[in-house]
Amino acid sequence: MRKAVDTVFRYLAVLQCVPAHPARKTTTRILAELREKDPEFNVSARSMQRSLEQLSARFPITCETVGRTNHWYWIDSHAMTQLPAMTEHTAFALRLANEYLRPLMPPATLRLLDSYFNHANRLLKGSALGRWANRARIVARGPLLTPPPVKEDVQRAAYNALLNDRLLEINYRSRSQQRSQRVALNPLGLVFRETVAYLVASAWHYPDVRHYALHRMSKPRLLDQPAGTPPGFRLASHIRDELRFSYPLASGNIPLRAAVSPEVAEHLAERRLSGDQRIARHADGRIVVEASVANTQELRWWLLGFGSAVEVLSPASLREEFAAQSRAMQAMYETEAPS
Amino acid sequence: MRKAVDTVFRYLAVLQCVPAHPARKTTTRILAELREKDPEFNVSARSMQRSLEQLSARFPITCETVGRTNHWYWIDSHAMTQLPAMTEHTAFALRLANEYLRPLMPPATLRLLDSYFNHANRLLKGSALGRWANRARIVARGPLLTPPPVKEDVQRAAYNALLNDRLLEINYRSRSQQRSQRVALNPLGLVFRETVAYLVASAWHYPDVRHYALHRMSKPRLLDQPAGTPPGFRLASHIRDELRFSYPLASGNIPLRAAVSPEVAEHLAERRLSGDQRIARHADGRIVVEASVANTQELRWWLLGFGSAVEVLSPASLREEFAAQSRAMQAMYETEAPS
DNA sequence: GGTTAATACGACATAGTGCGTCGCATGAGA
DNA sequence: TCTCATGCGACGCACTATGTCGTATTAACC
């Protein structure tokens, strides 16, 4: 039964089945995959050949003829079409997302999303929204840190190794040693800390689990040997243990009480620290914030950043930490600056 | 003249032209838009009606008949197809992006991107990558602040007003006043500060430009009157001026010199403060970082967050600021905590 | 309330095209 | 050299997409 809608449907399925550039599929493979996915895919091989040929006239797909068989692929993965089409609002949101993510994500990971951002930009360029570049600004916290560049092949290999549970052989240039060293890693997880991506892995024979920054890797090679997970390994608990000293992620919450300046109170009135946050204005003019928050290092950073605009009242242990911190700082700054 | 496979591609064009749910287009509008885009779109209106009806049988599009005219739209914006299909790596990157953005973006803006994230999640669910939820973690800086919810209609109206240069009438509940007030705003720009979105606008007759938080708006109504931009207004300079006290974005860079702990040095070795950052290890064991950085409030927050692990050496003015800050903190904490 | 414009939709005839089938050419592997 | 797999040209037919016309319904306007 030949209906144009069916044809459209089928063509879309074909287009979705054709892979993006580095990969490719033969005509018969595409047909087989589609037949398997949808049993009512009753077209002859000839029709499939014709479909692909037709589609290649209007979409950026081509075939490379090796021998007698055609291998199909998308030429330009940046040329993207989607149904339904992206709206201007969504395009704008994507543009914002891009700006937000740029200082946070490893560049190689971000590059995977480039086609989306490009698509959004192309859409906005034509419309009145194009001016929005000058009409929206993101005021970020913290300075813009420059993310270290990760080699694209390293990123791909690391993701693949983790995905397929395979050993990953790389040159690793650790911070302490100048020269890089060839190691085979047993990938267990990925941790992103600000802009840096770390592969959580155990080196070849050794049982201990360590962190390897992706940007210090080079010359990746996927080994055929399957990787093994140490019994009982769980990424969440590993992070808690491994990063205990630098970034403790305590499980329990603590009841925080702090006196804050009007500016900070205003800040917190809009973005609450927790669901149960309460802000009370005392008789003496001080504003006290109460909230149960996770007892983390990040909390300390964040509170400390406000300086004298925030005074931790309780828990007593946290107050003592801050008192010690301020004593140390005061001692530091009261001496003359060394040249 | 009905050329070969034209029908099929025309149907595709129609599918791309039909908007996602909240929006909708009439049959004639779709025809007009397509005719304008592609001059060889010589089909009768009747054909277009038939096309849409046919497509609605296999694709999630429907029409709502208001009066005598049909308004078409995609039912389920979550059902998305993109060409070429999303790869697993990209899906994973999107998933990460989602996690990164959640604490940063206004929820309503984030919701515009939901279909992408959902699409990615659906893709990952089936594959081996599904486990990646337990294999990747983002270690963020700062506690998770709860973003204030923005009403969806407010967000849409605000974006539309800015896009079409139209006056926006809303109920605004300012922080100081309990009751909300009806105001007509002249939209000029959007500013995102942490998770809060502000509309930069001037109220009806008044010449001064102010910031209106989106989450304090309700009952939006787009007016037909065109909005006007004050002569010489530029968002970037406005932010610099308006936010001078809370978030100064000074234009010039300052040469920062700071003594840091080994941990902070390690941190900075990976994410550089600036392109010219240098880290020197002095004879007495102290590590000194030099970089030219923007002279902003965020820089102070960020440096202060490290507490006694960072000692600002120069510029002298900045060091004096930090010395004063630490004196104030010390004074604060050496007195007993008030109950 | 009457009139007009706009839109949707059913019916019908016809052209022309998508699809299956067949057969041949070509390249790879045994 | 033989065999198998794939691509591709050709052919014929069924069937569907399309334009046209007429009618029903609604909104808008005087």
Side-chain angles (χ1 to χ4, degrees), chain A residues 3-217:
Chain A
K3 264 189 177 174
V5 221
D6 297 320
T7 314
V8 174
F9 207 74
R10 188 155 40 78
Y11 275 28
L12 276 175
V14 171
L15 283 173
Q16 278 204 318
C17 193
V18 172
H21 170 52
R24 24 180 242 179
K25 288 180 186 170
T26 66
T27 312
T28 33
R29 171 138 176 244
I30 293 171
L31 181 58
E33 281 186 17
L34 288 175
R35 257 206 258 262
E36 189 170 3
K37 200 154 55 181
D38 191 350
E40 57 171 305
F41 215 94
N42 297 327
V43 285
S44 63
R46 184 73 189 99
S47 280
M48 179 56 65
Q49 292 166 6
R50 274 194 284 247
S51 304
L52 285 164
E53 197 184 340
Q54 304 253 15
L55 286 168
S56 69
R58 316 196 62 145
F59 287 90
I61 64 172
T62 8
C63 69
E64 200 176 324
T65 314
V66 39
R68 193 69 190 155
T69 62
N70 290 352
H71 298 259
W72 294 90
Y73 58 89
W74 283 81
I75 303 173
D76 180 11
S77 58
H78 287 263
M80 200 173 51
T81 40
Q82 36 173 285
L83 304 176
M86 196 187 284
T87 67
E88 287 172 340
H89 286 201
T90 307
F92 183 64
L94 266 173
R95 185 175 204 146
L96 283 176
N98 186 12
E99 266 182 69
Y100 270 121
L101 290 174
R102 196 147 300 278
L104 297 175
M105 265 199 161
T109 301
L110 208 52
R111 215 164 299 132
L112 287 172
L113 305 177
D114 266 355
S115 52
Y116 293 89
F117 300 140
N118 285 336
H119 193 188
N121 276 331
R122 241 177 299 129
L123 185 68
L124 289 177
K125 192 146 293 175
S127 84
L129 273 169
R131 317 171 300 213
W132 280 44
N134 309 319
R135 290 221 154 185
R137 280 299 266 281
I138 294 171
V139 180
R141 260 204 95 153
L144 271 86
L145 301 170
T146 315
V150 174
K151 292 183 186 65
E152 212 125 349
D153 56 342
V154 167
Q155 146 126 6
R156 198 163 35 234
Y159 281 33
N160 273 333
L162 204 47
L163 162 63
N164 303 318
D165 277 323
R166 300 249 299 280
L167 280 181
L168 175 68
E169 199 182 75
I170 45 147
N171 280 355
Y172 194 74
R173 173 180 42 81
S174 77
R175 205 167 17 225
S176 50
Q177 297 155 296
Q178 282 299 343
R179 305 193 40 207
S180 64
Q181 200 176 359
R182 196 81 184 155
V183 282
L185 296 180
N186 224 346
L188 299 169
L190 266 176
V191 176
F192 296 85
R193 201 161 75 183
E194 299 198 35
T195 67
V196 179
Y198 299 90
L199 187 65
V200 181
S202 58
W204 192 206
H205 275 315
Y206 306 96
D208 56 324
V209 174
R210 291 175 53 196
H211 289 190
Y212 297 85
L214 253 56
H215 66 272
R216 292 204 215 95
M217 300 180 179

Side-chain angles (χ1 to χ4, degrees), chain B residues 1 30 45 49 92 126 181 195 223 233 272 276 278 318 337:
Chain B
M1 190 157 321
I30 294 172
Q49 293 166 7
F92 184 65
Q181 199 175 1
T195 66
L223 301 185
F233 175 83
R272 295 204 309 278
D276 64 353
R278 277 175 307 172
L318 191 61

Side-chain angles (χ1 to χ4, degrees), chain A residues 4-9 11-12 15-16 54 58-59 74 80-86 88-90 92-94 96-97 100-101 104-105 112-113 116 128-129 131-132 134-143 145-146 148 159-160 162-163 165 175 189-196 198 215-216 235-236 239 247 257 266-267 270-273 298 301-302 304-305 307-308 310-312 319 322 325-330 332-333 335 337 339, chain B residues 5-9 11-12 16 54-55 58-59 74 80-86 88-90 92-94 96-97 100-101 104-105 109 112-113 116 128-129 131-132 134-146 148 159-160 162-163 165 175 189-196 198 215-216 235-236 239 247 257 266-267 270-273 298 301-302 304-305 307-308 310-312 319 322 325-330 332-333 335 337 339:
Chain A
V5 221
D6 297 320
T7 314
V8 174
F9 207 74
Y11 275 28
L12 276 175
L15 283 173
Q16 278 204 318
Q54 304 253 15
R58 316 196 62 145
F59 287 90
W74 283 81
M80 200 173 51
T81 40
Q82 36 173 285
L83 304 176
M86 196 187 284
E88 287 172 340
H89 286 201
T90 307
F92 183 64
L94 266 173
L96 283 176
Y100 270 121
L101 290 174
L104 297 175
M105 265 199 161
L112 287 172
L113 305 177
Y116 293 89
L129 273 169
R131 317 171 300 213
W132 280 44
N134 309 319
R135 290 221 154 185
R137 280 299 266 281
I138 294 171
V139 180
R141 260 204 95 153
L145 301 170
T146 315
Y159 281 33
N160 273 333
L162 204 47
L163 162 63
D165 277 323
R175 205 167 17 225
L190 266 176
V191 176
F192 296 85
R193 201 161 75 183
E194 299 198 35
T195 67
V196 179
Y198 299 90
H215 66 272
R216 292 204 215 95
L235 186 62
I239 291 179
Y247 298 76
R257 271 185 76 235
E266 189 175 304
H267 190 94
E270 299 195 321
R271 316 157 188 79
R272 295 204 308 277
L273 267 167
E298 295 118 48
W301 266 341
W302 191 79
L304 209 51
S308 58
V310 167
E311 177 182 358
V312 173
R319 179 181 171 87
F322 273 68
Q325 192 67 251
S326 65
R327 277 194 297 274
M329 285 178 70
Q330 223 260 316
M332 199 165 74
Y333 280 111
T335 62
S339 64
Chain B
V5 286
D6 264 5
T7 315
V8 176
F9 290 104
Y11 276 31
L12 272 176
Q16 278 197 44
Q54 300 253 10
L55 287 168
R58 298 211 67 144
F59 292 89
W74 283 81
M80 200 172 47
T81 35
Q82 8 179 313
L83 310 172
M86 194 188 285
E88 287 173 340
H89 285 202
T90 307
F92 184 65
L94 267 174
L96 285 175
Y100 270 120
L101 289 175
L104 297 175
M105 263 198 163
T109 301
L112 287 172
L113 305 177
Y116 292 90
L129 274 171
R131 317 173 298 217
W132 280 43
N134 311 319
R135 290 219 155 187
R137 282 299 267 277
I138 295 172
V139 180
R141 260 203 94 153
L144 270 86
L145 300 171
T146 315
Y159 281 35
N160 273 333
L162 205 47
L163 161 62
D165 277 325
R175 203 165 20 226
L190 266 176
V191 176
F192 296 86
R193 202 161 77 184
E194 297 197 37
T195 66
V196 179
Y198 299 90
H215 66 272
R216 291 203 217 97
L235 187 62
I239 291 179
Y247 299 75
R257 271 186 75 233
E266 188 174 302
H267 190 92
E270 298 194 322
R271 315 155 189 83
R272 295 204 309 278
L273 267 167
E298 294 115 53
W301 267 340
W302 190 79
L304 209 50
S308 58
V310 167
E311 177 182 359
V312 174
R319 178 179 171 86
F322 274 69
Q325 192 68 252
S326 64
R327 275 195 300 273
M329 286 179 68
Q330 222 261 316
M332 201 165 71
Y333 281 110
T335 61
S339 64

Side-chain angles (χ1 to χ4, degrees), chain B residues 289-307:
Chain B
V289 175
E290 292 185 352
S292 61
V293 294
N295 184 21
T296 63
Q297 178 63 37
E298 294 115 53
L299 174 71
R300 289 158 177 77
W301 267 340
W302 190 79
L303 288 172
L304 209 50
F306 288 106

